[in-house]
Amino acid sequence: MADPHASSTSPPTAPLIGSREMPPWQIGELREAPPMSLKSWTQLIGPGLVMGGAAIGAGEWMAGPLTTAKYGGAILWLSTLSILGQVVYNLEISRYTLYSGESIFTGKFRLLPGPFFWLALYLVLDFGSVFPYIASAAATPLAAVMVGEIAQPTETYQLLGVSLTGDALLRTLRYILFIGMMTPLIFGGTVYNSLKGLISFKIVVVLGFLITVAFLYSNAETWIEILTGFVKFGSVPVMGGGDDGQPLTQNIFVSLWNGDGFPVIDSRMLAVLGALAAISGSGGLTNTAISSYTRDQGWGMGANVGVIPSMVGGEKMQLSHTGMIFLVTAESLRRFRGWYRYVLRDQLVVWMPACFVGIALPCMLSIQFLPRNTQARDWEAAALTANGLRDAAGPVWGQFMWFAVLFCGFLVLAPNITTTAENALRRWVEVSWTALPPLRRWDPHRIRYLFFGTLCAYAAFGLVSLTLWDSVRLLKWAAALYNAAMGFSCWHVLAVNLILLPRELRPNWFLRMGLLLAGVFFMGLAVISAYSIWNEVKI
């Protein structure tokens, strides 16, 4: 990768646009994008792979079964809108990175009133990313595999000659998992390469098992329910559903058309539904990592800026303090469109399908093996699903399938401890690296020390959170903040691309409207989730 500091003569700088507290861009040349062909397929395996694999996580494995166990597939249309909104968002943040080599977060800080204003605002909006709800949840399936059943808090278990209550076992595993899954962020040369290896293993094992289960044990009715659920726009849970044979869900538009008025929505599930939508795909500000991965992949002007090195193995790597843009000419526009086609294919061929598959397969398990209107809390839905699959598989393969479902649950969640932490740390390290004058005076190689120090602070807060709160509570809190952050960020990205990008590179009107409506959708979910959580607190 090109070293932006290899020459003693600094490249020319561009006129400063936006806040004068941010350093001006340098000017460089946009290199040619590799031609599209089957031989260049490996060029596609980049940001979409990492984020697509990370998309199979807590929202899909916890919030998905919690909702589909009760309502079936009728509510999955929320995931459809969430994923489509995120596709538009991901395309637009990558557009900025292809032009400047900077992450979109740095671009946001370039707008007025300046980086310190945005720093304070996004510290609040991004606070959901520091809640370690995934580590809290991942301990449950791991403990079940270890003791042969879902660990009960008051029961005593023998492990390696040591007696532990279920509560002590779960608490210990939460701490071990949370700290242990930070290790890939310390080694591997670039943090990005470490994540690609970890996520590739997860995708092969988890999706391979779920596809096998779907082929052997699911039926056509289950898949019809899931696939139609993705497009049942307007279906909502209603009060009294399931009582005396009453429907569990009603469609708002059908109810109004028939003159029955607006359905009485069951507000008790609103926070979980908001969590499903918030974490379908990536969710919250975790999507902003797409722009950083686009740079680390060397796409567009990212090849001129550098990468974030890991603490061990990345001594020769560095990240420039400032972005580098290209002058707009007919030739550079042609090259830019070539790189944008890679981003478009990465999102539509890898990331978006991975998100839908990541939701459909876990939901398939609960829809197939649990009766409708099953009431479940926390990890009970996953445990009940494992029991259902064990019964369906019979005496020969039943116990193996039980273990396999829970192990896959662990394998889904555990790597996401790493990706969630890396996403949050990457955002703040990159912004600090460019926005804070004291850090701009550091040698570019020293960014790995900043990353490692921030990682230690993140880990310390996570340990405190794991001690105080349970996984579902952390999930609901994080989801409300995720939706608010994503909604506002959609509007902010639209402003960045309309103000900082040359007119020839700005998004078309279709993408502008997509960002605007996506912001409305996620902000609406944030308000609904906050209302539901507030009602729970009052109760």
Side-chain angles (χ1 to χ4, degrees):
M1 183 161 299
D3 182 351
H5 297 271
S7 174
S8 60
T9 303
S10 299
T13 57
L16 186 61
I17 304 175
S19 173
R20 295 191 175 277
E21 298 177 50
M22 296 289 285
W25 288 314
Q26 297 174 342
I27 298 177
E29 182 178 356
L30 179 65
R31 65 188 179 97
E32 188 80 42
M36 287 279 191
S37 67
L38 291 177
K39 292 183 179 180
S40 67
W41 180 256
T42 55
Q43 293 284 338
L44 172 63
I45 307 303
L49 173 71
V50 174
M51 295 298 289
I56 310 170
E60 292 74 12
W61 207 264
M62 287 179 62
L66 280 173
T67 54
T68 53
K70 183 172 177 63
Y71 301 114
I75 310 295
L76 291 177
W77 63 274
L78 287 169
S79 296
T80 298
L81 293 182
S82 177
I83 293 171
L84 292 178
Q86 291 176 63
V87 167
V88 176
Y89 180 84
N90 293 345
L91 290 172
E92 288 310 297
I93 63 178
S94 295
R95 179 191 300 273
Y96 176 80
T97 301
L98 292 178
Y99 172 65
S100 68
E102 293 179 340
S103 74
I104 188 62
F105 232 56
T106 304
K108 293 174 180 180
F109 279 47
R110 287 187 175 278
L111 295 189
L112 296 173
F116 294 103
F117 172 84
W118 300 119
L119 178 67
L121 178 61
Y122 275 105
L123 277 174
V124 176
L125 292 175
D126 201 24
F127 202 65
S129 298
V130 302
F131 287 125
Y133 59 92
I134 301 177
S136 184
T140 304
L142 179 59
V145 171
M146 294 170 65
V147 303
E149 65 179 18
I150 301 299
Q152 301 301 315
T154 58
E155 294 290 329
T156 301
Y157 301 95
Q158 294 289 331
L159 288 173
L160 301 176
V162 178
S163 296
L164 288 173
T165 64
D167 182 69
L169 174 62
L170 290 170
R171 191 175 298 276
T172 301
L173 289 176
R174 287 167 188 160
Y175 296 146
I176 293 174
L177 284 172
F178 183 68
I179 296 300
M181 292 308 296
M182 300 293 153
T183 305
L185 302 181
I186 303 175
F187 299 93
T190 72
V191 173
Y192 177 59
N193 286 339
S194 300
L195 290 177
K196 285 179 70 174
L198 184 65
I199 293 300
S200 297
F201 175 77
K202 168 184 169 179
I203 289 175
V204 170
V205 175
V206 173
L207 292 188
F209 171 75
L210 291 177
I211 290 171
T212 301
V213 171
F215 179 77
L216 293 176
Y217 300 107
S218 67
N219 54 43
E221 289 77 11
T222 296
W223 285 103
I224 290 173
E225 181 171 354
I226 290 173
L227 295 177
T228 57
F230 281 125
V231 293
K232 288 182 178 178
F233 301 105
S235 294
V236 293
V238 293
M239 292 294 295
D243 299 336
D244 300 325
Q246 295 298 313
L248 294 164
T249 63
Q250 290 184 28
N251 189 282
I252 294 174
F253 304 116
V254 173
S255 181
L256 293 175
W257 177 265
N258 292 334
D260 298 329
F262 200 89
V264 181
I265 299 175
D266 185 355
S267 61
R268 295 170 296 178
M269 287 294 290
L270 289 179
V272 175
L273 295 178
L276 174 63
I279 313 178
S280 294
S282 297
L285 296 179
T286 60
N287 288 75
T288 60
I290 283 282
S291 66
S292 298
Y293 297 153
T294 298
R295 181 203 62 214
D296 286 7
Q297 188 76 10
W299 291 356
M301 294 301 287
N304 301 324
V305 176
V307 299
I308 293 182
S310 59
M311 187 65 186
V312 178
E315 291 82 358
K316 296 182 180 180
M317 301 172 188
Q318 63 184 40
L319 179 67
S320 173
H321 285 285
T322 63
M324 182 175 289
I325 64 172
F326 58 89
L327 298 177
V328 177
T329 64
E331 177 62 17
S332 64
L333 280 176
R334 183 189 65 80
R335 293 181 179 182
F336 180 86
R337 295 187 185 105
W339 284 115
Y340 190 78
R341 282 194 291 271
Y342 270 86
V343 173
L344 190 65
R345 190 170 65 164
D346 190 56
Q347 287 297 303
L348 298 182
V349 178
V350 178
W351 189 82
M352 186 175 70
C355 292
F356 279 111
V357 170
I359 293 171
L361 288 175
C363 290
M364 174 273 298
L365 293 175
S366 62
I367 292 174
Q368 180 69 42
F369 299 112
L370 298 180
R372 194 67 67 249
N373 201 23
T374 296
Q375 305 288 335
R377 297 179 298 106
D378 198 358
W379 249 87
E380 289 180 2
L384 294 173
T385 299
N387 293 340
L389 179 57
R390 177 171 55 190
D391 296 338
V396 177
W397 290 99
Q399 193 63 20
F400 169 79
M401 288 296 183
W402 186 87
F403 276 105
V405 169
L406 293 174
F407 177 72
C408 279
F410 166 74
L411 199 57
V412 161
L413 295 169
N416 279 39
I417 301 171
T418 309
T419 55
T420 300
E422 193 274 343
N423 285 345
L425 297 175
R426 175 183 289 269
R427 286 192 290 277
W428 293 107
V429 166
E430 290 186 356
V431 165
S432 301
W433 195 239
T434 300
L436 300 181
L439 292 179
R440 287 207 298 267
R441 292 191 289 269
W442 283 23
D443 184 275
H445 294 282
R446 295 183 63 193
I447 190 173
R448 60 196 179 103
Y449 297 113
L450 177 63
F451 187 89
F452 182 72
T454 310
L455 175 62
C456 292
Y458 178 93
F461 179 85
L463 292 175
V464 173
S465 299
L466 288 173
T467 304
L468 298 178
W469 301 299
D470 64 85
S471 59
V472 170
R473 184 174 300 179
L474 291 173
L475 173 64
K476 291 179 180 179
W477 291 350
L481 288 169
Y482 270 18
N483 282 322
M486 186 65 179
F488 181 81
S489 187
C490 286
W491 299 332
H492 203 178
V493 168
L494 181 59
V496 167
N497 284 354
L498 293 181
I499 294 172
L500 299 184
L501 267 59
R503 186 178 302 276
E504 298 86 347
L505 302 181
R506 294 173 186 170
N508 58 36
W509 282 102
F510 175 79
L511 292 173
R512 296 181 193 186
M513 289 301 300
L515 276 178
L516 183 64
L517 293 176
V520 172
F521 172 73
F522 287 110
M523 273 297 187
L525 287 177
V527 173
I528 292 172
S529 296
Y531 172 77
S532 178
I533 293 171
W534 174 250
N535 282 341
E536 290 180 7
V537 172
K538 289 195 300 183
I539 293 174

